[in-house]
Amino acid sequence: MDKITMFYIDKFKSLCEFTIPFPTSSDINFLCLIEKNGAGKSTILQAIDFAGQIFRGDISGWLRSRGWERRHLISQKNMRTITLKIEGFFGNKKILWKSSFSTTHLKCSNEKIYIDDEEVFSLSNDSYSINKGPAEKKIVKYEGSFLSVIEDSFLKKIELFDFVNFMKKVYSFDTLNSRQMRSRARPAGPDGNIGRGGELLAGRIASLKQGEIQELLNATKDFYPWIEDIYPDTLRGGWKELYFVESDHGCFRNVPSLHECDGVLRVVGILSELMTSDTFVVFDEIENGFNPEIMEKLVHVLVKSRKQIMVTTHNPVILNYIDENVAKESVLLVYRKNTGNTNIIRFFELPETSEKLSYLGPGEVFLDTDIDETLKNTGLL
């Protein structure tokens, strides 16, 4: 399975020399971030989405979609470069990508890629070389990574297609909310997703084949048995509006997404996203809109997913739905150091929490831990 095993970023907002500690077990693809408010969790989600956008290109459009300017990317006013390193296994090869991203030009001014520790691609100031061959000058306009404008056939030739294709499908749904999921949308196409806030959900479902819609319906009924059908209605101009058929003591009623409850919309949105070809997906505050029973089922679905999944939560109960062995590797504590920078650590690697885990559940350990005091005692602040 293709997956990221290391993510490093420096000088992106409050993230300085920041590395995400991914699980070392090959069968764990799930990460859960916990924090106190203001520690920088949202910035981590934005950084992951930023990395995916670098490979999709169009950084200008990405900034506009968030209401940002390029100056909002950097940690200090006098800085102009963001450093990124991503390593993982793609197409059964270990690949390491290193880059310096210029916030002035909105593109990677330097890139290097190593396959199984051997340098295979290098770019500096628009001159690039492959397998340490002679430098070539490529006059082409691009934003993000130079790899974002290279044709798939050439990427396959230099054995980088799997890596680049994976990175293009890295998304953070950090603004997902029921208001946007109620929106009308045009069909998203077979390779589309639900949109960062869920605004493309109706279009995404309209693009599903009949068997896929049935698969989505069956998965939804595991959470809400009274949902009998899900379908998009076609409006003027090709717009789609999502409808749900609910059963109530033998009676059936059609409910437009405008009047559907938040919990149903969020479940359908998340399940729909899990059916896409996206590779690494992030959901913020996963507990929003769900009661404990629904939340437990959803956590189990996410943990079992073959995608790489990252979620964030403020609810300690959710940790109790994660198997203890998974929790040890996948629950990450986000905190701010005294310098103001964001840092991250495996929560159950802290001596105090590791000891408590021997007699308490993961969520109970979180609830029973004074995070500031624990970090101070371990010298991490």
Side-chain angles (χ1 to χ4, degrees):
M1 173 185 167
D2 293 349
K3 65 189 304 181
I4 294 173
T5 57
M6 187 271 287
F7 182 98
Y8 169 92
I9 192 166
D10 184 34
K11 306 298 189 296
F12 178 88
K13 300 181 72 174
S14 65
L15 305 182
C16 294
E17 299 183 342
F18 178 88
T19 301
I20 296 175
F22 281 86
T24 57
S25 300
S26 60
D27 58 341
I28 299 178
N29 301 313
F30 179 77
L31 287 173
C32 179
L33 272 55
I34 59 176
E35 66 152 9
K36 295 182 66 175
N37 286 333
K41 171 260 297 175
S42 296
T43 302
I44 298 171
L45 310 193
Q46 294 159 2
I48 291 171
D49 203 51
F50 172 63
Q53 193 64 42
I54 282 177
F55 286 86
R56 293 187 290 271
D58 190 21
I59 302 298
S60 298
W62 184 82
L63 291 172
R64 286 194 300 272
S65 72
R66 289 182 174 273
W68 292 6
E69 298 176 18
R70 63 187 71 198
R71 62 186 173 86
H72 295 142
L73 293 170
I74 52 179
S75 56
Q76 296 181 23
K77 289 183 178 179
N78 60 342
M79 294 177 180
R80 296 292 181 270
T81 301
I82 298 169
T83 302
L84 299 102
K85 298 177 188 177
I86 294 173
E87 187 174 66
F89 291 90
F90 309 92
N92 297 317
K93 297 180 184 296
K94 185 179 76 171
I95 294 181
L96 170 63
W97 171 77
K98 299 180 179 181
S99 172
S100 296
F101 177 88
S102 167
T103 59
T104 301
H105 300 101
L106 295 183
K107 67 180 183 180
C108 297
S109 55
N110 290 276
E111 295 184 73
K112 286 185 182 294
I113 299 183
Y114 302 81
I115 297 180
D116 295 332
D117 300 321
E118 180 182 355
E119 183 181 309
V120 297
F121 177 88
S122 177
L123 175 139
S124 180
N125 299 320
D126 294 338
S127 290
Y128 71 92
S129 64
I130 297 171
N131 292 329
K132 296 186 178 179
E136 299 182 32
K137 193 74 174 180
K138 189 70 174 180
I139 308 300
V140 61
K141 185 177 181 180
Y142 69 96
E143 290 187 347
S145 170
F146 179 69
L147 298 167
S148 68
V149 295
I150 296 181
E151 294 182 358
D152 288 349
S153 58
F154 189 70
L155 289 172
K156 290 176 181 178
K157 182 179 179 180
I158 60 176
E159 300 183 293
L160 291 177
F161 174 79
D162 291 322
F163 168 64
V164 174
N165 190 55
F166 183 100
M167 291 305 304
K168 285 181 177 179
K169 296 179 181 297
V170 172
Y171 287 96
S172 174
F173 299 91
D174 49 295
T175 60
L176 190 67
N177 65 84
S178 55
R179 182 183 64 80
Q180 292 193 71
M181 286 188 282
R182 291 185 168 93
S183 302
R184 298 171 176 178
R186 294 184 183 277
D191 209 31
N193 61 31
I194 64 173
R196 184 184 299 120
E199 70 278 4
L200 304 179
L201 177 59
R204 167 63 189 161
I205 292 178
S207 301
L208 295 178
K209 298 177 182 178
Q210 187 56 46
E212 293 172 326
I213 291 181
Q214 187 62 48
E215 178 185 346
L216 174 62
L217 176 61
N218 291 341
T220 302
K221 287 175 72 68
D222 286 341
F223 293 86
Y224 301 102
W226 60 85
I227 301 296
E228 295 293 337
D229 198 7
I230 303 171
Y231 67 93
D233 187 31
T234 302
L235 307 175
R236 182 179 299 177
W239 291 87
K240 302 292 182 178
E241 184 174 19
L242 196 58
Y243 275 80
F244 298 83
V245 178
E246 298 182 352
S247 64
D248 183 9
H249 297 91
C251 298
F252 298 90
R253 59 176 179 269
N254 291 349
V255 181
S257 57
L258 182 64
H259 299 295
E260 189 53 83
C261 73
D262 290 1
V264 170
L265 282 171
R266 282 183 62 84
V267 160
V268 170
I270 292 170
L271 294 177
S272 298
E273 174 54 32
L274 294 181
M275 293 174 64
T276 69
S277 60
D278 293 344
T279 54
F280 188 122
V281 296
V282 181
F283 299 111
D284 192 17
E285 297 185 1
I286 194 66
E287 69 272 18
N288 284 354
F290 300 130
N291 63 39
E293 180 183 1
I294 297 297
M295 193 64 254
E296 182 176 8
K297 291 180 179 180
L298 184 58
V299 168
H300 291 162
V301 168
L302 295 174
V303 171
K304 292 178 181 177
S305 174
R306 290 188 57 79
K307 296 182 188 292
Q308 283 193 275
I309 304 286
M310 176 184 285
V311 303
T312 74
T313 184
H314 293 289
N315 189 341
V317 174
I318 288 177
L319 302 193
N320 283 334
Y321 303 145
I322 305 173
D323 179 86
E324 182 178 311
N325 292 325
V326 175
K328 287 178 180 178
E329 292 204 53
S330 66
V331 177
L332 307 180
L333 173 65
V334 181
Y335 64 96
R336 279 197 187 270
K337 301 172 70 173
N338 290 332
T339 58
N341 295 332
T342 296
N343 206 357
I344 192 168
I345 188 174
R346 289 193 181 95
F347 182 60
F348 294 110
E349 284 188 352
L350 295 168
E352 179 182 335
T353 59
S354 178
E355 179 185 353
K356 289 180 179 179
L357 195 59
S358 64
Y359 56 88
L360 294 175
E364 294 168 314
V365 175
F366 183 27
L367 195 60
D368 192 58
T369 300
D370 185 324
I371 291 177
D372 287 338
E373 188 66 24
T374 299
L375 292 173
K376 187 183 300 182
N377 291 340
T378 52
L380 292 171
L381 292 179

